[in-house]
Amino acid sequence: MAIVVAGAAGFLGFHLCERLLKQGEPVVGIDNFASGQRDLAAALGQYPGFHWIEADIAQPLRVEGGVSKVFDLACPASPVDFEPLSLEILQTCSQGVLNLLTLALEKRAVFVQTSTSECYGDPLVHPQREDYYGNVNPIGIRSPYDEGKRYAEALITAFHRRHGLAVRIARVFNTYGPGMRLDDGRVISNFVMQALAGEPLTLQGGGEQTRSFCYVDDTVEGLLRLSATDYTKPVNLGNPDEVTVRRVAEEILELTGSASPLKSVPGRADDPHVRCPDISLARRLLGWSPQVTRREGLERTIEYFRSRVNRERVRM
Ligand code: UDP
């Protein structure tokens, strides 16, 4: 029985596939490279248990043979993509998720959704627990992603109620680590790239807003544990170690040894002012909590970016 991973060439999808393949599981990876990376797909192709399908999940899907689980990690997730890929994101979160649900039903597989802390929008309750309904602008610049993911949760839950499909929903909070795109546009990749290039670190909107960053291996562990339960409602997966964006910039400067200055630039519309997961449910249900400190995680990420920048320089 294979495990299907949609979004296999994405940052999180790649890490999940690699972990499964190392455990000896056969994996069918799907990606259309909307935000996925060809070199990550090529790295997965080295494993004999990996089968590749280049496809858009919003188009009719066919997967041969038995399938035990369908993981949906297929959606551009960087805020810089929310406007240029607005309609593609909405299609992915609606028709794409419907196609994957239909596949899971046909194969009698467990369906696992990577939902998001963006379901909470710019939260008025802090930290965020799963029973908070959120504060989302339905027509704002972030809405294709936020509302898309909220719609997907509704669709998945309706599917579960109507057809009895086994579903799991992880609300993933800011994940980072090796394998992120150099031009991903999110805060950690931007700051690391800027620090390595000796350019100013762009603090958007003052830098006093907070995030809680989870190292990718911890997120993958949480997803796998969740997939093995029979809990069908949303579960937060994130690291509650909350920090301001300014502080992250200072940490990255220290760890890279860069002399780059900090530079204030305008903030993004509807940018959440705070974000921190309450992970009591994940602790109780999964016996899970993040193990990698931000310092360790940033060191590994900086190391990855450094070697990748050097490799690309050699190629040029
Ligand atoms: N941010 C920043 N400088 C950057 C990129 C992002 O100050 O170069 C801020 C952004 O405005 C937001 C936070 O960092 O407040 C996290 O942004 P990111 O794009 O990483 O993801 P988000 O949590 O908003 O989905």
Side-chain angles (χ1 to χ4, degrees), residues 23-229:
Q23 289 174 6
E25 305 274 4
V27 174
V28 177
I30 306 175
D31 209 299
N32 69 344
F33 296 104
S35 59
Q37 303 171 73
R38 298 253 170 213
D39 55 343
L40 296 186
L44 294 175
Q46 303 298 311
Y47 290 87
F50 187 71
H51 179 75
W52 178 248
I53 301 178
E54 182 166 343
D56 179 351
I57 56 163
Q59 300 303 320
L61 267 182
R62 260 191 76 77
V63 175
E64 306 292 337
V67 172
S68 59
K69 286 179 185 159
V70 175
F71 282 90
D72 177 22
L73 290 80
C75 189
S78 175
V80 296
D81 290 333
F82 295 169
E83 198 175 8
L85 295 180
S86 55
L87 296 179
E88 292 78 3
I89 289 172
L90 285 162
Q91 271 288 97
T92 300
C93 292
S94 53
Q95 190 61 47
V97 173
L98 183 60
N99 287 344
L100 292 177
L101 285 165
T102 306
L103 175 71
L105 190 65
E106 175 201 321
K107 303 286 186 183
R108 297 175 191 279
V110 175
F111 177 88
V112 187
Q113 170 74 348
T114 47
S115 190
T116 167
S117 56
E118 292 280 339
C119 288
Y120 303 120
D122 185 9
L124 305 175
V125 169
H126 191 66
Q128 292 78 55
R129 252 176 41 171
E130 290 84 352
D131 56 6
Y132 175 48
Y133 295 159
N135 176 39
V136 173
N137 175 357
I139 55 163
I141 213 79
R142 301 175 86 94
S143 67
Y145 188 74
D146 295 17
E147 296 292 18
K149 288 286 188 179
R150 286 163 65 96
Y151 171 85
E153 287 196 5
L155 182 62
I156 291 160
T157 305
F159 227 79
H160 165 67
R161 292 198 179 113
R162 173 79 55 94
H163 300 295
L165 180 70
V167 302
R168 318 281 177 257
I169 301 171
R171 288 193 182 142
V172 173
F173 285 63
N174 297 67
T175 300
Y176 71 101
M180 293 184 93
R181 261 171 32 204
L182 302 187
D183 61 351
D184 174 274
R186 275 177 281 194
V187 67
I188 289 187
S189 45
N190 274 7
F191 285 176
V192 172
M193 288 298 284
Q194 290 161 343
L196 294 180
E199 290 166 4
L201 273 57
T202 48
L203 283 186
Q204 296 172 348
E208 298 313 312
Q209 67 273 38
T210 68
R211 292 295 186 273
S212 306
F213 297 99
C214 193
Y215 189 69
V216 63
D217 290 357
D218 284 326
T219 309
V220 166
E221 177 67 27
L223 278 175
L224 290 174
R225 288 193 190 201
L226 177 62
S227 75
T229 68

